[in-house]
Amino acid sequence: MAQQMEDLAKKQPGYLGFENAREQLGIAISYWSSLEAISNWKANADHAAAQLFGKTDWYASYKIRICKVERAYEFNSLTTED
């Protein structure tokens, strides 16, 4: 279901990206261009059905956070540059 939701999100207007740490913490982060795009994703019927299924079958609890990313950077020692 998580992969289906990620694939569906990629088709939505305003979608910018997706990251997850399902193996370690069960965290999934989606990035959107605006609050309107976030609201539209929340209202998507398939996404809403998956959230309901999560409440009834998968999770005892979960949190949603809506945040604005002001700056992002990363370090990766595995990346090589010529």
Side-chain angles (χ1 to χ4, degrees), residues 1-75:
M1 181 64 73
Q3 186 61 54
Q4 289 175 3
M5 290 300 102
E6 182 179 348
D7 293 343
L8 179 62
K10 289 177 181 179
K11 297 174 185 174
Q12 304 307 304
Y15 172 84
L16 297 175
F18 186 87
E19 296 176 310
N20 72 69
R22 288 187 194 115
E23 302 298 322
Q24 297 85 6
L25 299 173
I27 295 172
I29 302 168
S30 58
Y31 298 94
W32 300 89
S33 62
S34 66
L35 290 175
E36 180 182 11
I38 294 168
S39 293
N40 291 339
W41 172 236
K42 181 173 176 53
N44 178 283
D46 292 331
H47 182 230
Q51 283 187 318
L52 180 60
F53 195 66
K55 288 178 183 178
T56 60
D57 290 28
W58 298 325
Y59 306 118
S61 66
Y62 66 83
K63 295 179 183 180
I64 303 290
R65 293 182 175 96
I66 299 175
C67 307
K68 181 177 180 182
V69 177
E70 294 287 340
R71 184 179 309 139
Y73 57 91
E74 64 184 82
F75 168 78

